[in-house]
Amino acid sequence: MNTEALIANILPPWAMAVDTFEDHANVRLFPAEAEVISRSVAKKRAEFATARMCARKAMESLGVPPQPVLPGVRGEPQWPRGVVGSITHCTGYRAAVVGSSAEGLTIGIDAEPDKGISTGVLEAISKPEERAAIRRLAREHPGPSWDRLLFSAKESVYKAWFPLTKRWLDFESATVTFDPVRGTFFARLLVTGPSVMGRPLTGFSGRWMASQGLVLTAIAISARSDRALQRI
C-alpha cells in the first residue's frame, strides 16, 4: 500500500487518498460486507476487500473508526455520516478517497488501464463532437489513451453526481472537454442538475493524469467554495 497515493496528485489537500497496486490477502471484512460478496468470484471478492481496506485506511486519516462501507442501490459506497468519498478499482490498481463533509460536498474518482477502448464502446459513451475532439487530441498531444480517458472522466462525473442527486446519469448526459496541457477537464451537464451552494449545478471541473500504465480522473467539490463548479 502506498504512503503517498498516486491519485492524490490530482486531488485537493482535504481529500485523503489511499491506494495499492496489488490485492491484499486476509483483509478482514465486516459481516455485512462479507455477505455482499459471498456469491462473487474470487477476483471480485479480492477487489472488493482490498478497496474496503483502502477506504478504512483513508477514513482513519480523518479520525473515523473502522466500519462497514456497503454498496448502495447503484453500487455506490455508503459512507458514514460526516464523510464523503469515492472508490475505484481496475486491473492492477485499487484506491479510495474520502473527505470530511465539512470540507467537501462530493468526490468522484476513477482509474482505468491506459489503453484504447473498442469503437463500439466509444460510440456508446460519447457524442460525435467528443469523438472528434479526442481524435484531434490524439494527433496533437499523443500519449495517453484519450478515448479511455474520456470513459474515465465520465465515470468520475457520475460518481460525483449521484451523491448530490440520487439520480442516474447516462454517459451521454454530459459532454467532456480536456485541457491537455493543464491536466484538467470540464464536464458540461446536458440535464438539469440540483442547486449546489445556492446555484444551479451545470457541470463539473476535474483533473486527470496518466502514469504507471493508468489513466486517472478526479472531481472534488469543496464545501468552502464553488471553484470546482466553475469552468476551467
Side-chain angles (χ1 to χ4, degrees):
M1 185 178 301
N2 293 343
T3 54
E4 294 185 5
L6 178 64
I7 202 165
N9 289 291
I10 53 174
L11 288 162
W14 55 263
M16 302 293 106
V18 174
D19 65 3
T20 179
F21 290 86
E22 59 185 7
D23 286 324
H24 291 246
N26 304 316
V27 175
R28 296 184 64 180
L29 295 175
F30 286 87
E33 293 173 325
E35 175 60 25
V36 166
I37 58 168
S38 61
R39 296 175 179 81
S40 300
V41 299
K43 179 178 181 293
K44 292 295 184 182
R45 292 199 301 270
E47 289 177 354
F48 180 95
T50 302
R52 263 56 190 178
M53 178 189 68
C54 291
R56 283 193 262 284
K57 288 288 186 181
M59 289 192 294
E60 185 180 322
S61 300
L62 299 178
V64 177
Q67 50 197 285
V69 180
L70 299 172
V73 293
R74 294 288 186 179
E76 78 284 1
Q78 298 183 92
W79 300 102
R81 183 181 296 275
V83 174
V84 297
S86 187
I87 289 173
T88 188
H89 47 76
C90 68
T91 302
Y93 188 73
R94 323 280 184 240
V97 178
V98 300
S100 163
S101 59
E103 295 286 344
L105 293 180
T106 191
I107 299 172
I109 64 166
D110 188 70
E112 302 287 338
D114 189 0
K115 58 183 181 181
I117 58 178
S118 70
T119 300
V121 171
L122 179 60
E123 290 180 347
I125 65 135
S126 64
K127 290 186 169 294
E129 60 266 32
E130 292 176 304
R131 295 193 289 275
I134 63 171
R135 286 194 296 268
R136 185 168 58 253
L137 285 167
R139 290 193 305 269
E140 298 174 0
H141 300 274
S145 298
W146 290 102
D147 53 355
R148 183 73 69 163
L149 198 54
L150 178 63
F151 177 87
S152 179
K154 292 201 172 188
E155 286 285 310
S156 286
V157 168
Y158 175 73
K159 291 178 180 180
W161 160 274
F162 190 80
L164 297 174
T165 64
K166 305 302 181 187
R167 287 157 42 198
W168 180 255
L169 186 73
D170 290 327
F171 279 111
E172 291 189 327
S173 295
T175 57
V176 174
T177 54
F178 292 98
D179 185 323
V181 177
R182 298 176 65 190
T184 58
F185 66 90
F186 181 76
R188 179 172 63 90
L189 291 170
L190 305 179
V191 295
T192 302
S195 176
V196 177
M197 292 182 291
R199 56 180 298 184
L201 176 63
T202 58
F204 294 99
S205 294
R207 298 179 66 193
W208 67 269
M209 68 180 294
S211 180
Q212 301 186 48
L214 301 168
V215 291
L216 305 100
T217 56
I219 295 167
I221 297 182
S222 171
R224 299 183 181 275
S225 77
D226 61 359
R227 285 177 297 174
L229 300 175
Q230 302 298 313
R231 181 160 188 160
I232 297 171

